[in-house]
Amino acid sequence: MNKDRVQSIVDTAERDPSAVDIDEARSALDHPDAQIRNGVLYSLKQVADDDVQRVRRYLDDIAPLLSDNEETNRNLAAAIFQEAAKVDPNRITDYFPDLAPLLDDPNEYTRHYAAFTFSEVSKRDPRQIRRYLSDLAPLLDDPNETTRNFVTFALNQFAKERPARVLDWLSGLALRLDDTNEYTRHYAMSAFKEVARDHPREVRQYLTAIVSRIEDSVEETRNFAAFVVKEIVETDPEAVLDHLATLSVGLRDQNEYVRHYTVYTFHEVAQVNPGRVATFVDGLEPLTDDPNENTCDFSEATLDEIDAETRVDPDPGSGSLETEPIEKSETVVWDGSDDTEIEDSTSDTKIYDPE
């Protein structure tokens, strides 16, 4: 195949992708001329954007181009696999060994396409990405916002299945708690929620970043943050002493579970250091009338702890103030956002340049 013929295929792909002869195009995928490979890949990418089913059956032919020595060819091949992952993620797992090196590609869009492909598979079966966690984790700090989003989503999906396996990457996930993208922050917080259930002590060192999300703009993210703090105080109530002022915002949150987890946190702290909680009586008192019965109970018990520590009995003869301990209730984390779709992004692929 010569360059004139490739240009003709490119022109057809741009005008009417459905008219491209795929068998002819794929016959040049192993051509020694990088520009010819680029031209047919570009054409197949146009076909995939139009109808990925026409290209899906030829992934075996396209896969070697994922390791092409030309950056633009790797980029286009990765973009085709991204499209294929949207319709057949199960099949894409066969090509993970070829896709994994692209997570470290110098081209940010190539990394982006590879990250999307792994995240798309993680939606259906998170276990499929377990061997590639160490390849994905460095992209938690990628300069591309949507790449960070895809990787954080994938690690969150895996954390739901095997939270202990994510412990090694908590420091990277902690960075994403302050991401500019609200969905990325949410997925990172969700991953911490999964880990905190069984490993609250390991999560504790990221407490400052976690507490900051109690003021997040996304309600579900605030919910997860309050839940994680609740898990931490169950093993170490004093860990949050320096964060009570920020946490007190959760006492008046519109979400009943945020209020519930937060007042529970204050109750745990009050049992070991009621004096530090006394400052927040004004935030606790309204919760004695909260619609959530457990929230009311914890609020009243917390105020009783404060009373016993800080208030003088006006009638010493009446005896000391003592409160019956309330039984800790099983609380339910509101996990309604787990089905939130990750945001896709469109990016320009390098096009065929016959010159």
Side-chain angles (χ1 to χ4, degrees), residues 69-101:
N69 57 6
E70 290 292 327
E71 180 178 306
T72 55
N73 290 346
R74 297 194 303 272
N75 175 267
L76 288 165
I80 292 171
F81 271 83
Q82 173 187 253
E83 295 303 313
K86 295 176 183 178
V87 298
D88 193 2
N90 292 331
R91 187 183 175 197
I92 295 300
T93 59
D94 294 339
Y95 303 98
F96 273 1
D98 302 299
L99 286 160

Side-chain angles (χ1 to χ4, degrees), residues 159-215:
K160 296 174 185 177
E161 297 283 333
R162 298 286 298 277
R165 289 285 300 274
V166 182
L167 288 172
D168 290 341
W169 296 285
L170 288 182
S171 59
L173 286 165
L175 294 175
R176 301 285 58 84
L177 292 174
D178 193 38
D179 199 271
T180 54
N181 184 297
E182 66 180 54
Y183 293 104
T184 301
R185 296 195 306 270
H186 174 72
Y187 299 139
M189 195 69 259
S190 177
F192 271 93
K193 176 201 71 176
E194 298 298 331
V195 175
R197 295 179 192 273
D198 298 320
H199 306 280
R201 296 185 186 277
E202 286 79 358
V203 168
R204 185 176 55 192
Q205 62 181 300
Y206 306 104
L207 185 59
T208 299
I210 292 165
V211 169
S212 70
R213 290 305 99 212
I214 206 75
E215 298 182 277

Side-chain angles (χ1 to χ4, degrees), residues 77-292:
I80 292 171
F81 271 83
Q82 173 187 253
E83 295 303 313
K86 295 176 183 178
V87 298
D88 193 2
N90 292 331
R91 187 183 175 197
I92 295 300
T93 59
D94 294 339
Y95 303 98
F96 273 1
D98 302 299
L99 286 160
L102 298 186
L103 294 169
D104 192 37
D105 197 271
N107 184 295
E108 72 169 294
Y109 293 113
T110 302
R111 297 194 304 272
H112 168 87
Y113 297 141
F116 175 88
T117 302
F118 278 91
S119 71
E120 196 69 10
V121 171
S122 75
K123 280 184 181 180
R124 306 289 182 89
D125 187 359
R127 295 169 297 178
Q128 295 295 333
I129 69 170
R130 65 186 181 278
R131 296 180 182 176
Y132 304 96
L133 296 177
S134 59
D135 299 296
L136 288 161
L139 273 67
L140 287 168
D141 200 27
D142 195 89
N144 186 296
E145 179 180 314
T146 51
T147 299
R148 298 194 303 269
N149 177 266
F150 296 150
V151 172
T152 308
F153 175 87
L155 289 177
N156 176 42
Q157 290 294 102
F158 190 80
K160 296 174 185 177
E161 297 283 333
R162 298 286 298 277
R165 289 285 300 274
V166 182
L167 288 172
D168 290 341
W169 296 285
L170 288 182
S171 59
L173 286 165
L175 294 175
R176 301 285 58 84
L177 292 174
D178 193 38
D179 199 271
T180 54
N181 184 297
E182 66 180 54
Y183 293 104
T184 301
R185 296 195 306 270
H186 174 72
Y187 299 139
M189 195 69 259
S190 177
F192 271 93
K193 176 201 71 176
E194 298 298 331
V195 175
R197 295 179 192 273
D198 298 320
H199 306 280
R201 296 185 186 277
E202 286 79 358
V203 168
R204 185 176 55 192
Q205 62 181 300
Y206 306 104
L207 185 59
T208 299
I210 292 165
V211 169
S212 70
R213 290 305 99 212
I214 206 75
E215 298 182 277
D216 198 89
S217 59
V218 177
E219 185 174 332
E220 295 92 338
T221 303
R222 300 195 304 272
N223 173 263
F224 292 163
F227 177 84
V228 173
V229 173
K230 176 188 81 73
E231 294 293 299
I232 292 172
V233 298
E234 288 184 343
T235 60
D236 185 4
E238 294 188 323
V240 302
L241 288 176
D242 293 335
H243 302 283
L244 292 179
T246 302
L247 288 170
S248 67
V249 174
L251 295 173
R252 53 183 183 273
D253 197 276
Q254 65 181 1
N255 181 282
E256 70 169 295
Y257 294 105
V258 176
R259 297 193 304 274
H260 177 69
Y261 300 142
T262 304
V263 76
Y264 176 90
T265 294
F266 275 79
H267 174 258
E268 293 295 290
V269 174
Q271 293 185 79
V272 297
N273 197 330
R276 291 291 292 272
V277 177
T279 308
F280 306 97
V281 167
D282 288 345
L284 291 162
E285 287 181 334
L287 297 183
T288 58
D289 292 323
D290 195 89
N292 185 306

Side-chain angles (χ1 to χ4, degrees), residues 18-39:
S18 65
V20 171
D21 184 337
I22 295 182
D23 285 329
E24 180 185 19
R26 75 186 181 94
S27 69
L29 285 171
D30 60 353
H31 197 282
D33 189 320
Q35 286 190 330
I36 288 179
R37 297 197 302 275
N38 183 262

